[in-house]
Amino acid sequence: MKKWHIGLVGCGTIAYHNYIPEIQEMPNAEIIAVCDILPERAKRYAEEFNIKEWYQNIDDMLKNSNFEILVDTTSIPSHFEINLKALQAGKHLYSQKPITVTVKECEILINEAKKRNLKISASPIHMLRADIQEAKRIIDSGLIGKISFARCSVSHGGPEYFQFRDVDPTWFYRPGGGSLLDLGVHALHMLTGLLGPAKRVHSFSGISEKRRIARSGSFDGKEIIPMVDDNTLLLLDFEDATFGMIDCTYCAKATKSPSLEIFGSRGTITFIQGENTPFVIFVDDIERNIRGWIEPEINLPRVKQSCGVEDLISSIEEEREPVLRAEHALHVIEITEKAVLSAKERKTFELETTF
């Protein structure tokens, strides 16, 4: 069995708790190098996880380390530059979300990968989740009929509010951050993955909380003055009177609302937050004399955060496209770009990309 060599850049919380230990458990993958702008952190991660090489500079790592796949877990504003450099250096790419923040930049990455016969896997990982895949199967089967609308909630109280971090969360409230790019992309990947490409977007957005105080981690008590929107609501038109509604804010300190619901002419799929059962289904089928809630009698295992890396490796070996396609990410990025314009100009924008 071939063992794929991986270089990881961005030694933050998600790398420490998810990507590094999970990839190291894969029989056909090995992280041989890590990189971070804080050299002491890269060195510590390398020592703790028994990784051969560590670097402070991505250029040095690309020049001197003999790996085949780059895993980018850096902050959002860094993604485009790092991802482009990796592709130009001949590396396959897995990037944390979003792969970049503009349509133009994403098209550059896609074209660079095609030119060099490289593959890109673009997080979020939702279309690899067993529960989302099962929901899509149910929708496609026609069990809940024609879809009228779906609503998705990905809001929380802000990265400074609930996550224990050893890095300053201020960047989430600076250009390149914000709840739309941080959280909205999750909902957008789910809804477009389930219902197909959207045709139009309208949004409402602004800064709701003018002053933030870190409530956890190493920066507990730090004051943050947001410079980008923390409160964004999206409306999507999928045509044929099928609509989507998304809240992606840093303004929900707590909720018991469903994280995702899909409403059809013959039923509903409801994802329940914090429950062992991923979702329940309401079916109103006159022919089969069924009218009520159903709990699916199937085992839906949780996927690991690194499943996108695993699928990328399989796609290379099987000479197929990854499930988390860059073209899907491009469509989501167009929605986020035009959502910003929509909120600013107070009008609906047509969408041009598809996947």
Side-chain angles (χ1 to χ4, degrees):
M1 177 189 295
K2 174 180 171 57
K3 181 162 283 195
W4 292 85
H5 289 167
I6 292 174
L8 181 142
V9 56
C11 297
T13 302
I14 198 168
Y16 183 84
H17 291 290
N18 298 100
Y19 283 101
I20 295 178
E22 291 172 12
I23 292 171
Q24 296 294 60
E25 290 179 355
M26 296 179 188
N28 61 342
E30 178 186 5
I31 298 176
I32 65 168
V34 291
C35 177
D36 196 90
I37 57 173
L38 299 177
E40 65 276 9
R41 196 158 58 183
K43 183 176 184 291
R44 175 164 60 87
Y45 279 35
E47 291 173 348
E48 183 170 345
F49 291 101
N50 195 29
I51 296 169
K52 298 174 184 177
E53 307 165 19
W54 63 269
Y55 298 87
Q56 180 182 359
N57 185 282
I58 183 64
D59 295 321
D60 291 339
M61 187 170 82
L62 290 170
K63 179 180 178 181
N64 298 313
S65 185
N66 187 29
F67 62 89
E68 300 148 296
I69 297 170
L70 181 83
V71 173
D72 184 354
T73 56
T74 61
S75 60
I76 294 170
S78 303
H79 287 177
F80 174 67
E81 180 182 3
I82 289 173
N83 292 340
L84 181 58
K85 285 182 177 182
L87 294 170
Q88 290 173 335
K91 313 298 184 184
H92 298 287
L93 173 65
Y94 172 86
S95 177
Q96 257 288 40
K97 52 79 183 173
I99 187 171
T100 186
V101 296
T102 71
V103 166
K104 181 179 180 180
E105 290 176 347
C106 192
E107 288 175 337
I108 289 172
L109 296 178
I110 290 172
N111 291 334
E112 191 70 28
K114 288 180 179 178
K115 181 172 69 175
R116 299 177 183 275
N117 196 29
L118 298 168
K119 295 191 182 297
I120 298 174
S121 179
S123 184
I125 63 172
H126 301 295
M127 296 317 297
L128 287 168
R129 286 169 45 187
D131 54 347
I132 295 294
Q133 291 177 341
E134 180 63 13
K136 181 168 177 54
R137 186 194 68 78
I138 291 169
I139 292 168
D140 292 346
S141 74
L143 178 65
I144 64 169
K146 187 262 182 188
I147 305 303
S148 298
F149 72 100
R151 61 187 178 204
C152 188
S153 174
V154 290
S155 298
H156 60 52
E160 83 291 351
Y161 183 75
F162 78 105
Q163 292 176 322
F164 286 84
R165 297 176 174 273
D166 60 357
V167 294
D168 189 345
T170 301
W171 75 265
F172 284 95
Y173 296 96
R174 297 294 180 263
S179 60
L180 176 61
L181 293 178
D182 181 28
L183 303 180
V185 293
H186 288 285
L188 288 168
H189 272 270
M190 281 188 274
L191 288 194
T192 56
L194 290 169
L195 305 181
K199 305 301 182 182
R200 281 166 285 279
V201 61
H202 193 104
S203 74
F204 304 90
S205 191
I207 299 175
S208 178
E209 297 186 33
K210 313 301 183 186
R211 176 176 173 268
R212 298 246 173 192
I213 303 295
R215 293 286 301 279
S216 63
S218 302
F219 290 83
D220 187 24
K222 179 176 180 177
E223 180 179 270
I224 302 170
I225 305 300
M227 297 173 60
V228 293
D229 293 354
D230 63 359
N231 189 17
T232 300
L233 304 179
L234 302 178
L235 297 175
L236 298 175
D237 181 0
F238 292 91
E239 290 194 332
D240 194 28
T242 298
F243 308 119
M245 301 180 291
I246 293 170
D247 65 86
C248 48
T249 85
Y250 290 152
C251 302
K253 297 299 185 285
T255 179
K256 291 187 177 181
S257 299
S259 59
L260 172 64
E261 288 191 292
I262 305 104
F263 299 90
S265 59
R266 294 193 297 175
T268 301
I269 301 174
T270 298
F271 283 70
I272 306 171
Q273 297 193 54
E275 298 290 335
N276 292 328
T277 301
F279 61 79
V280 292
I281 310 167
F282 181 88
V283 178
D284 185 4
D285 190 325
I286 297 174
E287 295 178 359
R288 292 190 292 173
N289 195 30
I290 299 173
R291 188 177 186 183
W293 289 98
I294 302 170
E295 188 172 307
E297 297 181 1
I298 51 177
N299 180 31
L300 296 175
R302 291 182 178 273
V303 297
K304 295 181 178 180
Q305 183 66 45
S306 61
C307 64
V309 179
E310 198 169 22
D311 179 68
L312 174 60
I313 291 173
S314 296
S315 74
I316 298 169
E317 294 178 339
E318 298 167 9
E319 298 183 351
R320 62 169 174 83
E321 283 298 304
V323 172
L324 309 180
R325 296 174 56 215
E327 288 78 8
H328 190 181
L330 173 65
H331 182 62
V332 168
I333 289 167
E334 184 192 9
I335 296 174
T336 62
E337 266 199 313
K338 289 183 175 176
V340 173
L341 291 176
S342 173
K344 183 178 180 180
E345 300 183 18
R346 299 184 180 183
K347 65 181 183 180
T348 300
F349 278 84
E350 300 284 329
L351 299 168
E352 300 174 5
T353 57
T354 188
F355 61 94

